Amino acid sequence: MHIGVFGATGVIGSRVVAEAVRRGHLVRGFSTHESRFPRDRGEVSWQVADWRDAQSIAAAITGLDVVISAVNAGYGIDDTIARAHDFVVGAKAMVDALARHPRIRVLVAGGAGSLEVAPGRQLVDEPGFAENLPRDLDVPREYHRAVAAGRDALNIYRTSNRRWTYLSPSSGRIEPGARTGRFRVGGDQLLDTGGRDISAEDVAVALLDETEFPQYIQRRFTVGY
């Protein structure tokens, strides 16, 4: 398959690129700034594209089979908080761009906040959610805005008729780690992982597994240890 990756130089996106190449796919990596392209471009075709602009997306994804979006609104926690609404802008832009390419499927790497902890109760709405964000990582309670914006982005896909899939890992944070290929898969409910955070490598595995063997078209799913 010919796969395009937005956020291709980020923690998750770079692992998605590596996993896709590992599996023999043709990969087109997108970033908003050419300066972020790796020096060794390997087998990947790199291109500047703005994930917040429908026209830029539509032009960039021409000829692809699948788009994987692993973008972050900012560089660092404070910047992400300030730019949280970009998650919504980007989702709208992607939906609009795909109207010109209805055959292309999109998979989005999102966050855990919109997962349900009980029927009709989402994690982001639980009492004390903002206050209990991990202080050991210096995450301020204002990060709640970015989490809520991620939920709003999911709802934009849900109300569209595009061929979308949304992945919300059951994990408080996602960092580089081991590629085990062993994890549990669920639907809209938060998995009890015993506090273990899934690695960016295994999130990439989950995204490529779903790319190759679709099970969640126009649905959200979760993964966790």
Side-chain angles (χ1 to χ4, degrees), residues 137 170-175 193-200 202 224-225:
L137 298 179
S170 290
S171 185
R173 56 184 173 181
I174 299 172
E175 300 288 347
T193 63
R196 293 184 63 198
D197 292 319
I198 193 167
S199 69
D202 277 343
Y225 294 136

Side-chain angles (χ1 to χ4, degrees), residues 38 59 61 67 105 124 127 154 179 186:
I61 66 177
V67 173
R105 185 180 174 209
V124 69
L154 169 59
R179 180 193 182 280

Side-chain angles (χ1 to χ4, degrees), residues 110-175:
S114 60
L115 289 168
E116 294 182 351
V117 295
R121 286 172 46 201
Q122 295 181 347
L123 179 61
V124 69
D125 293 327
E126 286 295 279
F129 174 81
E131 289 74 17
N132 291 325
L133 288 168
R135 294 294 182 264
D136 60 321
L137 298 179
D138 294 324
V139 178
R141 68 188 311 276
E142 288 78 13
Y143 194 75
H144 177 275
R145 294 203 296 267
V147 178
R151 173 176 60 185
D152 292 341
L154 169 59
N155 288 335
I156 288 169
Y157 287 106
R158 280 177 162 163
T159 55
S160 77
N161 62 356
R162 309 296 180 251
R163 299 181 67 228
W164 63 272
T165 298
Y166 199 95
L167 171 57
S168 292
S170 290
S171 185
R173 56 184 173 181
I174 299 172
E175 300 288 347

Side-chain angles (χ1 to χ4, degrees), residues 2 14 30 35 46 52 56 80 87-88 90 95 105 109-110 121 127 135 140 166 170 203 213-214 225:
H2 200 163
S14 61
F30 303 116
S35 62
W46 290 90
R52 295 156 298 194
S56 180
T80 298
F87 286 122
V88 177
V95 166
R105 185 180 174 209
R121 286 172 46 201
R135 294 294 182 264
Y166 199 95
S170 290
V203 170
F213 304 102
Y225 294 136

Side-chain angles (χ1 to χ4, degrees), residues 3-188:
I3 299 172
V5 182
F6 283 88
T9 61
V11 172
I12 297 176
S14 61
R15 272 77 183 173
V16 170
V17 168
E19 184 68 23
V21 169
R22 173 191 180 122
R23 299 189 187 204
H25 297 291
L26 298 174
V27 180
R28 196 182 301 173
F30 303 116
S31 179
T32 52
H33 301 288
E34 187 174 355
S35 62
R36 297 185 65 83
F37 293 172
R39 286 189 177 181
D40 181 6
R41 302 191 179 187
E43 304 171 53
V44 179
S45 171
W46 290 90
Q47 185 174 330
V48 172
D50 187 346
W51 60 276
R52 295 156 298 194
D53 182 83
Q55 185 172 345
S56 180
I57 296 171
I61 66 177
T62 299
L64 297 178
D65 299 304
V66 174
V67 173
I68 298 177
S69 177
V71 299
N72 195 9
Y75 301 106
I77 291 174
D78 291 339
D79 196 30
T80 298
I81 294 169
R83 298 173 182 267
H85 187 64
D86 281 359
F87 286 122
V88 177
V89 173
K92 290 179 178 177
M94 181 64 74
V95 166
D96 289 346
L98 290 173
R100 308 180 205 179
H101 300 281
R103 182 185 61 83
I104 298 177
R105 185 180 174 209
V106 61
L107 289 84
V108 181
S114 60
L115 289 168
E116 294 182 351
V117 295
R121 286 172 46 201
Q122 295 181 347
L123 179 61
V124 69
D125 293 327
E126 286 295 279
F129 174 81
E131 289 74 17
N132 291 325
L133 288 168
R135 294 294 182 264
D136 60 321
L137 298 179
D138 294 324
V139 178
R141 68 188 311 276
E142 288 78 13
Y143 194 75
H144 177 275
R145 294 203 296 267
V147 178
R151 173 176 60 185
D152 292 341
L154 169 59
N155 288 335
I156 288 169
Y157 287 106
R158 280 177 162 163
T159 55
S160 77
N161 62 356
R162 309 296 180 251
R163 299 181 67 228
W164 63 272
T165 298
Y166 199 95
L167 171 57
S168 292
S170 290
S171 185
R173 56 184 173 181
I174 299 172
E175 300 288 347
R179 180 193 182 280
T180 71
R182 298 187 299 273
F183 43 79
R184 292 178 293 147
V185 179
D188 285 319

